Amino acid sequence: MKKIVTAISGVVIGFLLATVFFADFTDIGPKSVADSNEKSNSEKVYVPFGEKDEYYLFASGGHSGQMFIYGVPSMRHIRTVPVFSQDSATGYGWDKETKEMLGGYTWGDLHHPAFSETDGDYDGKYMFATDVGNSRAAVMNLETFTVKDIISIPNTSGPHCAMFVTENTEYMFLPTRFAVPIGHKYEPLDDYSEKYRGVMSAVTFDEKNEKLGIAYQIALPPWSYDLSDAGKKMSKDWAVITTYNTEEATTNLEINASQADRDFILLFNWKEIEKMVENGQYDEVEGQKMIFPEKHKGAMYLIPVAKSPHGVDVTPDGTRFIASGKLAPAMTVFSFEKAFKAIENKEFAGERNGIPILNYESVMEREANPENALGPLHTQFDDEGMAYTTMFISSEIVKWDPNTGETLDRVPVQYSPGHSVAAEGDTVSPDGKYIVALNKIAKDSFLSVGPSHPESMQLIDLSQEKMEVIQTAPVNPEPHYAQMIKADKINTITVYPKDEANPNAVYSLEDTRIERKGNEVHAYGIAMRSKFVFDVNTERPDVIEVNEGDKVTIHLTNIDLDQDITHGFAINGYDLNIEIQPGQTNTVEFVADKAGTFPVYCTNFCSALHQEMTGYLLVKPKN
Amino acid sequence: MSRKLTKQSTILLVISGILLSSSIFFPWWGMKFIAPQYPEGLNIIVYPYKMQGEIEIINGLNHYIGMKPFSEESFPELKYLPYIIGGMSLLIFLTAILRSKKLLLILILLFTVGGLLGLYDIHRWLVDFGTDLDPSAPIELDPFVPPILGENRIANFITHSYFSYGSFLIGITFVLMVFSLWRVRKK
């Protein structure tokens, strides 16, 4: 016996020593392929000068209130588009139109960008976004990459999951993250369950006038509404939203909203709700058509789900929706077909706040639980219908098959991916080429910039059998959700077309003028390389002279109808700065309440003599 | 030797008349400006009755060197050139109807003189625009004259001057006219 043990341990030690001394460990870890047929990772993401990226990536900028535009696969940051925050680089928030649009707010928390859709596919016309910080919704035109309209959403506090767009952009639904009393009235938290509501709004978009509107609102129970998705194909009239705090806790939510074993998914039929509104089944509250589910019954159902869910995503074929557990580490695949059957048979397991609850078992198809995958948050899809779920806690993306629940592949990311976005990954026809992990943390990945490290986005190649991270890019705070669209779907304009009907536009030097009406001064000027002309008939055409206290309106038209010749207009010391793009007419309005001499100048480099593009605002003192 | 044009020459003349009159609707001459920031090039394309291209952008740039702005108004030729061409075409048709060899000879001479005058006119404008520069312009440049045909360099721009379809039609018209006269001589 002893002999055998000695012999075996001798052999084992021998193998161990041989391994330590002679084994080749060099092929452990990521391989950099130098094979002539296979591209290296840097070659896969390299877009040579003169060529352009295959996809646009629109990444929400979170509390910067901005939208970041990237090219994929290069991951080059192309442009920052201000949406809910002032941006002095583009003069956004100082000119009359954008200042009015921002409505006195100076920041926003931009979440969940969404493209306009036609038949469930991106049409490349508009981009919508919501503001959790100040409860607003915005629409950006993709011909100019500028925001066209912003509306405040009454009765709602922090539309987090929105926007999610229905199949033909009929509605964007904006549920609330923070339940509040209707009209934001004061109500004691002791009356939370009775007086507080999680109001959801059905926002509409009038494409002709580029205006957002609210069709109706639903006074949902006072829970927190998290992520959402609109149905597709067979489920196109439906939508799903996850909720948490169905405990209706009013303090220390970390503990108190994590007690119930099950929270809910709200499943609703917006087509039926539309009919309810048409039939007058609503109350008029705070100027809104408000539906109270306990009063105006129908079209809304609750489905129990593992506690504190985050993501709920509809599969590209529209037959299922997948909820991710966050605190219960599993993904649940639900079937629309089963849900419809249960609704038809009225198989309800009771009611909550007037809304019928469906049986978990009669809607659920399967649970997927990859080993040690923790914190599943959000799911995207590829061209074969395979699911990719971000694991917030175990920092990875897991590829799995919604048809079987089988785990297919896993790839680690650095670190803590909240959302991910696949190429057209939430449409009826995902492309399946790339997925980007939107990481909340990126410590040690880049040169240090102090205690707060940059966040990061990582590009993952889906075209091989194994997922592979092929590019990492640092990003500004903070990547949240994003949308990735094929570049050829977006058709930008190069110059604003002349608008002869615009009374503020001036296209020829002879028409420039400064008009005075009492204490109002209106200048109709032009910006051109490399001068301002406010009134061509004066001794100094680039000077505006006003009296202290005058209300000054300056309309400027950029008559350089040449692409990329953008002018700026800043008034030194007056805290004013606007931008005028080629062919555009823009207006700045202010009260000349500071007497003195204030140079004006072009802020946006326009040509060789840009430095000379200046003038004066002279404000004569009152006495 | 007959004094009348042959049937074949007459047909050639009719064709040349048609070509000449249709040349009104084609560009005759053009200039392309290429610079680092305009790799796609800026164009002035001259038709007998109009100008096309990125004229406003070119004017915007030209003010740096004090060049006068181009516009259709600054070229009075554009107003009467179509009539001259139309008139010439009518004369060709008339010659074809009369089958007059003498008239054809005169026409060819007229055509030669007209063509030379046309070239001189373009040259005159090029000299005018390139040398009559505003002395107070921000960028001081030695007066220059771009060629009627070929490449030139002005500041950061390389210019390509070229003849276009309209003048090719004129060329064919001229060749056809000479050819029909030559056919007659051969007889």
Side-chain angles (χ1 to χ4, degrees):
Chain A
M1 185 66 192
K2 221 178 180 181
K3 265 186 186 171
I4 296 167
V5 172
T6 319
I8 289 174
S9 34
V11 169
V12 167
I13 290 167
F15 265 112
L16 206 69
L17 285 173
T19 310
V20 168
F21 285 110
F22 302 112
D24 183 9
F25 290 106
T26 50
D27 65 357
I28 290 176
K31 262 191 205 171
S32 63
V33 183
D35 213 274
S36 58
N37 291 326
E38 259 184 276
K39 282 183 170 177
S40 70
N41 288 345
S42 45
E43 283 169 323
K44 279 183 200 163
V45 300
Y46 180 62
V47 178
F49 183 71
E51 285 176 32
K52 283 165 191 163
D53 276 299
E54 200 182 341
Y55 290 92
Y56 280 97
L57 175 72
F58 286 65
S60 74
H63 48 284
S64 74
Q66 300 170 328
M67 189 95 72
F68 304 130
I69 318 291
Y70 289 81
V72 171
S74 75
M75 302 299 278
R76 289 177 192 143
H77 176 219
I78 301 169
R79 170 53 55 101
T80 295
V81 181
V83 181
F84 295 116
S85 304
Q86 286 183 311
D87 175 42
S88 61
T90 51
Y92 183 84
W94 286 274
D95 64 71
K96 188 168 181 272
E97 191 192 337
T98 57
K99 199 177 166 182
E100 273 168 17
M101 240 168 22
L102 287 172
Y105 293 105
T106 57
W107 80 288
D109 188 1
L110 192 150
H111 277 238
H112 293 260
F115 285 117
S116 56
E117 292 183 14
T118 302
D119 297 329
D121 208 354
Y122 302 153
D123 57 25
K125 290 198 225 159
Y126 292 94
M127 162 61 77
F128 305 100
T130 55
D131 168 20
V132 180
N134 293 309
S135 303
R136 291 176 292 172
V139 56
M140 183 199 300
N141 177 312
L142 297 181
E143 280 186 341
T144 57
F145 280 57
T146 54
V147 175
K148 290 292 173 184
D149 195 25
I150 295 178
I151 55 165
S152 279
I153 311 291
N155 305 318
T156 291
S157 257
H160 177 241
C161 73
M163 302 237 182
F164 65 101
V165 175
T166 55
E167 206 177 42
N168 286 300
T169 323
E170 292 96 341
Y171 296 100
M172 281 76 69
F173 289 98
L174 272 69
T176 200
R177 179 173 160 201
F178 313 108
V180 286
I182 284 168
H184 292 261
K185 289 194 190 82
Y186 168 78
E187 293 289 354
L189 282 162
D190 290 338
D191 301 338
Y192 185 85
S193 294
E194 295 77 47
K195 297 284 172 62
Y196 284 58
R197 289 284 181 160
V199 170
M200 173 166 83
S201 305
V203 170
T204 53
F205 179 57
D206 169 3
E207 196 178 315
K208 201 170 145 254
N209 300 307
E210 298 190 313
K211 289 282 172 210
L212 296 163
I214 300 172
Y216 55 84
Q217 295 192 318
I218 304 173
L220 292 171
W223 307 332
S224 291
Y225 297 84
D226 203 2
L227 293 189
S228 51
D229 203 0
K232 300 176 176 83
K233 295 181 177 175
M234 61 94 77
S235 56
K236 67 184 162 68
D237 298 345
W238 297 77
V240 279
I241 308 173
T242 54
T243 73
Y244 60 95
N245 196 22
T246 52
E247 294 88 344
E248 299 179 9
T250 55
T251 184
N252 193 12
L253 259 54
E254 178 192 27
I255 304 291
N256 295 331
S258 307
Q259 293 304 307
D261 206 34
R262 287 282 149 106
D263 282 301
F264 295 114
I265 286 173
L266 175 77
L267 169 73
F268 65 95
N269 184 315
W270 56 266
K271 270 267 165 76
E272 270 185 51
I273 298 175
E274 196 176 62
K275 267 184 221 136
M276 281 168 66
V277 175
E278 272 170 27
N279 297 335
Q281 291 177 57
Y282 59 84
D283 286 359
E284 198 78 45
V285 177
E286 300 281 320
Q288 301 295 325
K289 292 171 182 166
M290 187 77 75
I291 296 161
F292 290 86
E294 68 272 31
K295 253 163 78 178
H296 314 112
K297 297 222 175 218
M300 282 172 262
Y301 306 92
L302 297 172
I303 299 165
V305 66
K307 73 175 179 183
S308 301
H310 193 59
V312 59
D313 301 278
V314 176
T315 55
D317 63 6
T319 58
R320 304 186 179 101
F321 52 101
I322 295 166
S324 305
K326 193 166 85 179
L327 297 185
M331 290 84 78
T332 312
V333 182
F334 293 96
S335 156
F336 273 113
E337 208 176 324
K338 284 181 155 191
F340 298 163
K341 203 169 279 172
I343 290 166
E344 204 182 296
N345 299 337
K346 297 200 161 40
E347 270 175 51
F348 300 138
E351 223 182 54
R352 185 74 199 268
N353 299 48
I355 311 172
I357 303 172
L358 300 176
N359 266 314
Y360 178 73
E361 284 73 24
S362 57
V363 185
M364 193 271 283
E365 206 171 273
R366 68 181 54 83
E367 285 174 4
N369 195 356
E371 207 182 357
N372 295 327
L374 295 175
L377 280 190
H378 174 228
T379 302
Q380 291 270 290
F381 301 94
D382 70 10
D383 51 334
E384 280 158 7
M386 295 302 116
Y388 298 79
T389 304
T390 49
M391 298 293 161
F392 182 73
I393 296 170
S394 56
S395 287
E396 61 182 327
I397 289 182
V398 174
K399 176 182 178 181
W400 57 285
D401 186 346
N403 306 305
T404 60
E406 182 198 355
T407 302
L408 302 170
D409 194 12
R410 302 164 75 140
V411 66
V413 294
Q414 283 77 31
Y415 303 91
S416 303
H419 288 263
S420 66
V421 56
E424 310 213 339
D426 61 3
T427 68
V428 289
S429 60
D431 287 1
K433 289 181 90 166
Y434 301 108
I435 193 165
V436 174
L438 307 167
N439 304 329
K440 299 287 192 189
I441 293 172
K443 72 185 180 79
D444 303 334
S445 301
F446 308 102
L447 287 175
S448 173
V449 287
S452 173
H453 298 253
E455 276 77 60
S456 81
M457 297 201 296
Q458 289 185 298
L459 180 69
I460 295 155
D461 181 8
L462 300 182
S463 62
Q464 311 294 314
E465 202 179 319
K466 291 282 291 173
M467 289 189 281
E468 194 178 0
V469 175
I470 57 173
Q471 175 73 306
T472 303
V475 295
N476 282 313
E478 66 153 338
H480 197 87
Y481 188 37
Q483 296 261 274
M484 208 195 295
I485 187 172
K486 200 109 172 81
D488 60 17
K489 282 191 180 172
I490 287 186
N491 299 300
T492 55
I493 59 164
T494 52
V495 173
Y496 279 88
K498 277 189 183 180
D499 179 10
E500 305 284 359
N502 182 351
N504 300 331
V506 169
Y507 294 107
S508 72
L509 283 171
E510 298 82 67
D511 297 333
T512 56
R513 63 198 184 274
I514 298 174
E515 291 170 356
R516 171 174 283 285
K517 291 174 200 153
N519 68 342
E520 280 185 27
V521 177
H522 297 264
Y524 298 84
I526 57 155
M528 63 183 280
R529 278 171 293 183
S530 317
K531 59 181 164 238
F532 294 108
V533 178
F534 304 114
D535 187 346
V536 78
N537 298 312
T538 55
E539 193 189 343
R540 295 187 180 88
D542 45 16
V543 171
I544 300 176
E545 199 157 352
V546 301
N547 299 319
E548 190 182 342
D550 278 350
K551 195 180 162 213
V552 184
T553 308
I554 302 170
H555 305 288
L556 276 175
T557 303
N558 179 351
I559 63 164
D560 282 313
L561 298 173
D562 189 1
Q563 60 175 306
D564 207 20
I565 306 297
T566 300
H567 294 294
F569 173 71
I571 306 178
N572 198 206
Y574 240 93
D575 197 30
L576 286 169
N577 163 42
I578 65 170
E579 179 188 81
I580 319 121
Q581 295 189 9
Q584 194 187 17
T585 302
N586 211 344
T587 300
V588 64
E589 218 177 49
F590 62 98
V591 176
D593 48 10
K594 275 197 285 190
T597 301
F598 305 97
V600 302
Y601 74 103
C602 174
T603 45
N604 203 320
F605 179 86
C606 57
S607 74
L609 295 167
H610 160 72
Q611 197 77 359
E612 282 75 11
M613 191 164 170
T614 65
Y616 281 100
L617 168 73
L618 297 171
V619 185
K620 250 188 244 168
K622 260 188 177 140
N623 300 310
Chain B
M1 199 167 94
S2 156
R3 286 184 169 273
K4 290 274 178 190
L5 295 171
T6 61
K7 198 174 175 187
Q8 205 181 14
S9 292
T10 313
I11 293 169
L12 285 178
L13 269 189
V14 170
I15 293 172
S16 65
I18 293 169
L19 289 181
L20 182 61
S21 48
S22 52
S23 78
I24 296 174
F25 307 101
F26 290 95
W28 277 29
W29 184 80
M31 232 172 154
K32 197 179 186 84
F33 300 74
I34 293 170
Q37 69 272 40
Y38 291 99
E40 71 280 10
L42 299 171
N43 290 286
I44 296 180
I45 301 162
V46 183
Y47 289 68
Y49 67 101
K50 66 169 181 182
M51 279 165 64
Q52 265 193 348
E54 292 77 29
I55 311 275
E56 279 189 44
I57 295 172
I58 291 169
N59 285 336
L61 293 164
N62 280 349
H63 92 273
Y64 289 124
I65 59 166
M67 193 188 277
K68 289 180 287 188
F70 297 113
S71 73
E72 286 174 10
E73 287 75 48
S74 55
F75 300 100
E77 290 91 333
L78 299 181
K79 288 199 185 72
Y80 53 79
L81 208 51
Y83 298 105
I84 295 181
I85 299 163
M88 283 292 283
S89 313
L90 286 179
L91 281 180
I92 293 176
F93 291 133
L94 189 70
T95 311
I97 292 164
L98 297 175
R99 295 174 71 176
S100 162
K101 214 171 88 181
K102 201 170 146 194
L103 204 55
L104 181 56
L105 193 67
I106 294 168
L107 218 55
I108 288 171
L109 285 173
L110 205 63
F111 219 80
T112 314
V113 173
L116 290 173
L117 274 175
L119 288 177
Y120 172 73
D121 192 46
I122 300 177
H123 177 72
R124 193 170 62 93
W125 281 120
L126 289 173
V127 171
D128 183 50
F129 274 90
T131 56
D132 184 17
L133 301 173
D134 186 344
S136 66
I139 298 171
E140 208 176 316
L141 212 65
D142 285 336
F144 60 92
V145 181
I148 294 175
L149 183 67
E151 214 177 275
N152 190 35
R153 204 186 161 90
I154 308 164
N156 59 330
F157 277 89
I158 291 171
T159 66
H160 300 271
S161 316
Y162 59 91
F163 289 102
S164 191
Y165 309 108
S167 28
F168 300 158
L169 289 176
I170 301 292
I172 298 168
T173 306
F174 188 69
V175 169
L176 287 180
M177 281 163 70
V178 173
F179 186 66
S180 51
L181 192 68
W182 178 70
R183 293 280 308 180
V184 179
R185 272 186 64 141
K186 219 177 129 189
K187 285 255 160 114

